């Protein structure tokens, strides 16, 4: 019969479970809600005029939390632009994507812009954050490229829809689609500036109606019915 070995004394230093790792202190704020507030502030004031103090006040957090969550003011702005596009661009592009013809799509885009840009679609700042951004000319080249890319995407979307209209016989193949897309973009951009300056929805809707006369003249050679 084997002699049993004595049980060694318990050493808490070796038997205690290791501390959990990778569990940082949870953020004491709603990141998405804070980003929404930052977006509204950049939208209203622009990048350069918005200070870190402005941001922390609007977001309800301290600067350490801002940097921990977003990295920098520049990175926060990029997130804000993306958040703006995801959350608000549907207010002006919704009917565009569901319209049966290119003309109906553009008319819907401009009429919805008249409503959204003047704040008639919710408690939002006037104008378009992307259109009105001057961040590139304020010495922030990389951020300027972000907003230029966003603006360029609008022309791509318009041109693609018009190319489909050519294939369907709605628009003559002889029409310069890029110029026509730029025309629509320019009208919408002008509406954004006017909205920021206080123009009302009815004024911008009138602009949209005149713009569609130009569309008809260019596409069909006939005035709008």
């Amino acid at each position: 019969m084997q002699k049993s070995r004595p049980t060694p004394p318990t050493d808490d230093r070796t038997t205690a479970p290791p501390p959990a790792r990778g569990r940082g202190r949870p953020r004491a704020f709603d990141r998405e809600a804070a980003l929404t507030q930052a977006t509204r502030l950049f939208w209203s004031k622009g990048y350069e005029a918005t200070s870190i103090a402005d941001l922390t006040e609007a977001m309800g957090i301290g600067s350490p939390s801002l940097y921990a969550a977003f990295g920098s003011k520049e990175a926060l702005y990029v997130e804000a632009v993306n958040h703006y596009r995801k959350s608000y661009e549907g207010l002006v592009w919704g009917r565009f994507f569901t319209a049966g013809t290119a003309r109906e799509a553009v008319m819907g885009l401009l009429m919805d812009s008249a409503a959204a840009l003047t704040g008639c679609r919710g408690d939002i700042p006037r104008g378009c954050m992307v259109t009105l951004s001057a961040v590139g000319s304020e010495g922030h080249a990389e951020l300027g490229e972000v907003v230029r890319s966003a603006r360029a995407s609008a022309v791509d979307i318009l041109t693609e829809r018009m190319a489909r209209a050519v294939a369907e016989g709605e628009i003559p193949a002889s029409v310069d689609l890029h110029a026509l897309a730029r025309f629509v973009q320019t009208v919408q951009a002008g509406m954004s500036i006017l909205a920021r300056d206080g123009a009302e929805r009815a004024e911008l809707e009138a602009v949209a109606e005149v713009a569609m006369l130009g569309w008809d003249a260019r596409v069909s050679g006939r005035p709008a019915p």
Side-chain angles (χ1 to χ4, degrees), residues 27 39 50-51 64-65 94 106 115 120 125 140 186-187:
R27 293 192 183 101
T39 300
T50 301
S51 67
S65 295
V106 170
C120 295
H140 306 280
T186 301
V187 172

Side-chain angles (χ1 to χ4, degrees), residues 110 150-155 158 180-190:
L110 295 180
R151 291 169 187 155
S153 69
V155 177
L158 288 163
L180 192 59
R182 282 293 193 196
F183 167 71
V184 175
Q185 182 192 37
T186 301
V187 172
Q188 189 193 37

Side-chain angles (χ1 to χ4, degrees), residues 7 11 16 27 29 33 50-51 86-87 89 94 111 120 131 148 155 191 205 215 218:
T7 302
D11 186 346
R27 293 192 183 101
F29 68 95
T50 301
S51 67
K86 178 182 71 174
S87 303
E89 285 192 344
M111 284 297 187
C120 295
T131 298
R148 279 193 297 273
V155 177
M191 292 167 69
E205 288 178 341
W215 169 281
R218 184 67 187 91

Side-chain angles (χ1 to χ4, degrees), residues 9-58:
T10 300
D11 186 346
D12 290 340
R13 290 175 299 177
T14 60
T15 59
R21 294 182 179 179
R23 295 183 181 178
R25 175 181 291 181
R27 293 192 183 101
F29 68 95
D30 183 330
R31 190 181 191 280
E32 190 73 7
L35 179 58
T36 296
Q37 293 306 312
T39 300
R40 291 173 63 93
L41 195 58
F42 284 132
W43 187 350
S44 300
K45 298 184 64 174
Y47 178 82
E48 195 66 27
T50 301
S51 67
I52 292 295
D54 293 332
L55 288 166
T56 55
E57 181 179 357

Side-chain angles (χ1 to χ4, degrees), residues 100-102 161 163-171:
T101 66
R161 181 63 185 88
R164 197 176 104 203
V166 171
E168 293 171 349
E170 180 189 354
I171 296 177

